[in-house]
Amino acid sequence: MTSPIEDAILSQLADLPAGKSIDPANVAKIILPERWQRALGQVRSTAVGMARAGQVVILRHNKPADPDTFKGVYRLRLPMEGDVIPSGGADNGED
């Protein structure tokens, strides 16, 4: 059974061309339109769980990021053939 946040993420991604990504803030605005900023943490933790399960890919600088160590601004997209997800802190979020 999926959560409303998972449903919102998957619904938004399903409407996009392959390889395109979504802004997590848009998901938060669907879940809690009046106070969407409060939902950002829940969206992030849900996205991390979905990324660990292989349902979505978390992007930093338009490249797949390790869901356990990424920091900062991110986007979400569906997995694509050839994706290599770094692990072990390869993306520390520094620019």
Side-chain angles (χ1 to χ4, degrees), residues 21-84:
S21 62
I22 61 170
D23 181 344
N26 291 337
V27 175
K29 290 173 185 175
I30 290 170
I31 302 303
L32 202 59
E34 298 298 316
R35 298 182 177 181
W36 62 269
Q37 294 92 337
R38 293 181 182 215
L40 286 172
Q42 291 175 301
V43 170
R44 183 183 182 99
S45 61
T46 300
V48 166
M50 293 175 74
R52 286 181 185 143
Q55 294 176 285
V56 298
V57 174
I58 294 173
L59 301 174
R60 288 265 307 138
H61 306 288
N62 209 28
K63 294 179 184 156
D66 183 343
D68 295 317
T69 60
F70 80 98
K71 296 178 184 175
V73 177
Y74 68 102
R75 293 182 66 85
L76 300 169
R77 73 161 162 76
L78 292 173
M80 294 175 57
E81 189 174 325
D83 277 345
V84 176

